[in-house]
Amino acid sequence: MKERIVIVGAGYAGVMTARKLANQFNQKSEYEIVLIDEHPFFTYRTSLHEVATKRIEPNAVQFDLRQLFMHQKNVKIVTARVENIDANQHIIHTSIGQVDYNKLIWAGGVEARSDVPGVNEYGFPFWSLDQATSLRVHIEEVIRQGAIELDEDIRQQKLRLVVVGGGYLGVQILGELLDERRILAKANQLRNREIELTLVESKAEILSDLDDARVSHKVENYLRHQGVKVYKKKAVSEIFEDHLVLNDGDKIMTNTVIWAGGTQGRTQMTELDLSQDEERHLQVTPEMRIQDQADIYALGDSVIQPLPAHLKERKGSETLMPKRGEHRYFWPQNVHNAVNQSGKLANNIAVKLLNHGDLSAFKPKSQRIFISVGSRYGVAIFKNRLAVTGFWAREFKHLSNLHFLAQLGSTYQIHQYLKREIFSTPQHMISGQGNVSNVGNTLWSLPLRLATGIFLIITGVAIGGGIGSIFAGVGMALFFGFMTTIAGFMTFLLSLVMLGTSFSISALLLPFVGIALMNGAGRSFGVDYWLVPFIQKNLGIFITGDSQASYNDLEDEKR
């Protein structure tokens, strides 16, 4: 009988833990790792605000789990909804049956807080891909309705978008709304600021989790300069279909309340008799084990570590968050800490099962936080001290995303990210504002491609021999539009050969022509019009296999 390690939740923490456990037990067939999630894909959740505002498509944040773990054969994927857990019997009850475990790792994350009346009925939380896509549809439709509304009060109500919560999530969705506002206004014949953006924050300042208050003030000033109305020290008491009520009795008329006002633990674990705080976050030991549970571990957004004694004395039972500037024993909800936790936990599970090595304790490291505020502004913080805002902060966030994708080991997703964020910017909403985008019409390259192809064919015939055949072959590829990116690169190399043997105006211009034709010029009246989409569609399937709507590797093993 195999020792089974079950991970519930295929978010950042769950996927990284599964990958690191797979490496720990790579040569040990008696151990099995099972990853359970209600979706067959990993959701790149830190980009959900971009999905909600139509900057990227939903498939850009969906990474198929089978493809992510194609090289980790000891990881079994199960698509199911976890209904409850029997800790005494070591059994997980799911929507497709029971799954037993020897070690259980809870990485199920959190969900939007629902203690405010009306938030479930009329609010728009977006902690999942489904919620983000619902929000994008709603925003587009409500702005369209507002643009044609004749009653001025109802018109303002529909054109007013309210974000509740001035933390990382709220500020990022607000930044994306600033970008989308420009596009929606143009599409509906509105002026930009007719679409009113409002932020409601219950604390004294936005981004209060940041140690440096100056950064918070910079971001707030940027938002105000862009026309965002910011309400601070204002909590939402209740949400209705056409307005929300603040704790001081004031009303804000709106049909769109985007809820980023805090999180709580998921019910599958909170129904168990486990140590947790008032927001249902699970208390774990430094070794990532849930307190008073021998075989259940947890990591990610849903966990906290108890405060040290001196902070408990000052805070009592009021909160688990120390004042700004003090060390946070409530772990910041970011990818950086989730990845670090996964490494510690994978080591500790291996120590327990293999009886070899030493347990390691997780200690929250200095903050490394990257916050995008739309496509042209951001915040980057390193080691709690060095803070960068503006354009360069956006670039640091791109590097952080690429670093995580590299840790996932997905070259395909790195390619897709670079293509989406840098080389394909149809709305010019990326930080480079489209300056390096390849969205330009390749039809304009057609005359240059044909002329260059003919020139290389004639040159090849004149030269003769093996090198002449290469010239002619590249020329034919360009003329017929066959693999023109490669043919353009070969043209660049051949131009260097020509420059090395004789100098001419044509040889001097040819390197630049070769670079220009690497833009996919064959997609206009060329073989690449059919060939390149075919390769893009089938190459990934050939390498990683086709994706499915659901997986059950445990059942497949029985057959």
Side-chain angles (χ1 to χ4, degrees):
M1 185 69 178
K2 290 185 177 181
E3 292 271 346
R4 179 176 290 169
I5 308 165
V6 176
I7 304 169
V8 176
Y12 292 102
V15 166
M16 291 305 299
T17 303
R19 181 171 290 278
K20 291 178 180 180
L21 281 172
N23 293 333
Q24 290 275 8
F25 296 100
N26 185 33
Q27 303 298 325
K28 298 175 174 59
S29 59
E30 64 271 27
Y31 295 95
E32 181 179 68
I33 302 154
V34 178
L35 181 60
I36 302 177
D37 194 272
E38 57 187 309
H39 299 294
F41 51 82
F42 158 73
T43 300
Y44 200 73
R45 194 161 55 80
T46 53
S47 293
L48 283 181
H49 55 284
E50 299 177 23
V51 174
T53 55
K54 293 193 73 173
R55 185 150 81 86
I56 60 177
E57 294 302 313
N59 60 6
V61 299
Q62 294 176 283
F63 301 176
D64 184 80
L65 291 174
R66 174 65 56 75
Q67 294 176 357
L68 282 181
F69 290 98
M70 60 174 295
H71 299 299
Q72 283 76 38
K73 302 303 182 183
N74 54 350
V75 176
K76 309 301 179 183
I77 309 298
V78 175
T79 306
R81 182 180 62 258
V82 173
E83 296 172 343
N84 58 71
I85 297 169
D86 187 339
N88 294 324
Q89 299 297 320
H90 284 50
I91 293 175
I92 303 169
H93 297 276
T94 77
S95 55
I96 60 172
Q98 297 182 0
V99 178
D100 61 310
Y101 67 87
N102 298 97
K103 299 289 183 184
L104 171 63
I105 299 172
W106 176 259
V110 292
E111 59 192 10
R113 285 178 57 186
S114 57
D115 54 347
V116 174
V119 67
N120 290 327
E121 295 81 3
Y122 307 114
F124 286 89
F126 57 107
W127 280 92
S128 70
L129 183 58
D130 293 340
Q131 292 171 339
T133 52
S134 296
L135 177 58
R136 71 188 278 165
V137 171
H138 169 81
I139 290 174
E140 193 168 33
E141 177 61 19
V142 77
I143 296 301
R144 186 194 66 80
Q145 292 175 4
I148 61 175
E149 178 60 53
L150 299 180
D151 185 291
E152 187 59 30
D153 291 336
I154 298 178
R155 174 185 171 88
Q156 287 186 344
Q157 173 183 303
K158 289 184 178 296
L159 294 180
R160 182 178 292 119
L161 309 179
V162 179
V163 177
V164 178
Y168 305 154
L169 188 62
V171 168
Q172 290 193 122
I173 185 66
L174 198 57
E176 295 299 329
L177 287 172
L178 286 172
D179 285 334
E180 192 188 16
R181 180 175 66 175
R182 172 171 54 87
I183 298 167
L184 289 172
K186 183 177 181 180
N188 293 281
Q189 297 180 307
L190 297 166
R191 294 187 301 276
N192 277 5
R193 297 201 179 188
E194 284 186 88
I195 302 174
E196 181 184 308
L197 302 180
T198 300
L199 175 63
V200 178
E201 169 55 48
S202 61
K203 296 179 181 178
E205 53 190 287
I206 67 172
L207 296 176
S208 58
D209 286 351
L210 298 181
D211 287 329
D212 192 342
R214 294 172 299 176
V215 176
S216 302
H217 296 158
K218 279 187 177 183
V219 174
E220 182 179 336
N221 290 337
Y222 173 79
L223 293 175
R224 290 185 184 275
H225 181 72
Q226 298 296 320
V228 177
K229 293 185 177 180
V230 180
Y231 293 86
K232 296 187 292 186
K233 295 184 180 180
K234 300 278 189 178
V236 175
S237 298
E238 191 168 0
I239 300 173
F240 296 90
E241 184 177 6
D242 58 356
H243 70 280
L244 60 83
V245 180
L246 300 176
N247 56 348
D248 58 4
D250 288 348
K251 293 182 180 180
I252 299 178
M253 305 302 297
T254 180
N255 290 109
T256 308
V257 179
I258 302 172
W259 187 258
T263 61
Q264 63 189 18
R266 296 187 181 274
T267 55
Q268 293 96 327
M269 293 299 283
T270 56
E271 289 177 349
L272 298 178
D273 185 20
L274 303 174
S275 299
Q276 53 193 282
D277 69 355
E278 58 184 11
E279 281 85 30
R280 308 193 304 199
H281 296 101
L282 301 167
Q283 289 193 1
V284 297
T285 67
E287 290 78 28
M288 310 303 299
R289 180 175 52 80
I290 294 180
Q291 291 183 0
D292 304 323
Q293 295 291 327
D295 298 310
I296 305 180
Y297 299 78
L299 76 168
D301 293 346
S302 62
V303 302
I304 57 171
Q305 187 178 10
L307 285 169
H310 72 281
L311 289 182
K312 284 184 178 179
E313 291 173 4
R314 177 175 62 77
K315 285 289 183 181
S317 59
E318 294 178 7
T319 178
L320 290 174
M321 287 294 293
K323 290 181 179 179
R324 170 174 259 157
E326 291 181 329
H327 188 71
R328 278 165 168 71
Y329 280 77
F330 182 102
W331 293 328
Q333 297 179 358
N334 58 40
V335 179
H336 180 55
N337 270 330
V339 172
N340 289 336
Q341 290 170 9
S342 67
K344 299 292 185 182
L345 180 52
N347 171 76
N348 293 339
I349 294 289
V351 169
K352 287 286 187 180
L353 293 178
L354 302 177
N355 295 315
H356 178 72
D358 298 315
L359 295 174
S360 55
F362 171 76
K363 295 179 181 178
K365 293 186 177 181
S366 300
Q367 287 181 319
R368 193 171 76 190
I369 298 171
F370 304 96
I371 304 170
S372 62
V373 190
S375 63
R376 296 171 176 83
Y377 193 80
V379 175
I381 296 176
F382 305 91
K383 296 185 180 300
N384 291 350
R385 290 182 294 275
L386 178 60
V388 179
T389 58
F391 168 82
W392 286 110
R394 284 283 314 178
E395 304 313 302
F396 282 127
K397 180 163 186 177
H398 285 318
L399 292 175
S400 175
N401 287 336
L402 290 170
H403 175 67
F404 176 74
L405 293 176
Q407 289 179 303
L408 276 182
S410 179
T411 305
Y412 173 76
Q413 293 299 341
I414 292 174
H415 164 74
Q416 291 296 105
Y417 182 88
L418 289 172
K419 179 181 175 182
R420 180 179 72 246
E421 295 291 335
I422 298 177
F423 296 111
S424 295
T425 57
Q427 301 292 355
H428 297 268
M429 291 172 61
I430 313 303
S431 53
Q433 300 178 23
N435 294 322
V436 294
S437 171
N438 66 356
V439 175
N441 195 334
T442 57
L443 178 63
W444 299 110
S445 302
L446 178 61
L448 180 64
R449 193 194 88 209
L450 296 176
T452 305
I454 293 171
F455 171 77
L456 290 177
I457 292 172
I458 295 173
T459 302
V461 172
I463 294 174
I467 189 67
S469 299
I470 296 176
F471 271 86
V474 172
M476 292 182 66
L478 288 177
F479 185 83
F480 290 107
F482 176 76
M483 302 296 285
T484 48
T485 298
I486 297 174
F489 179 69
M490 290 298 298
T491 301
F492 174 77
L493 296 180
L494 293 175
S495 68
L496 300 182
V497 174
M498 292 180 66
L499 285 171
T501 56
S502 63
F503 178 81
S504 65
I505 296 298
S506 58
L508 183 64
L509 293 177
L510 203 57
F512 303 101
V513 173
I515 293 173
L517 294 179
M518 289 173 63
N519 72 337
R523 299 290 291 270
S524 296
F525 294 99
V527 176
D528 286 350
Y529 178 81
W530 297 277
L531 179 62
V532 172
F534 177 82
I535 293 174
Q536 290 175 337
K537 178 181 177 181
N538 294 284
L539 183 61
I541 295 175
F542 175 77
I543 296 174
T544 63
D546 200 2
S547 58
Q548 299 178 24
S550 65
Y551 298 106
N552 190 350
D553 291 345
L554 298 180
E555 189 65 28
D556 292 343
E557 280 186 341
K558 297 177 183 178
R559 295 173 182 170

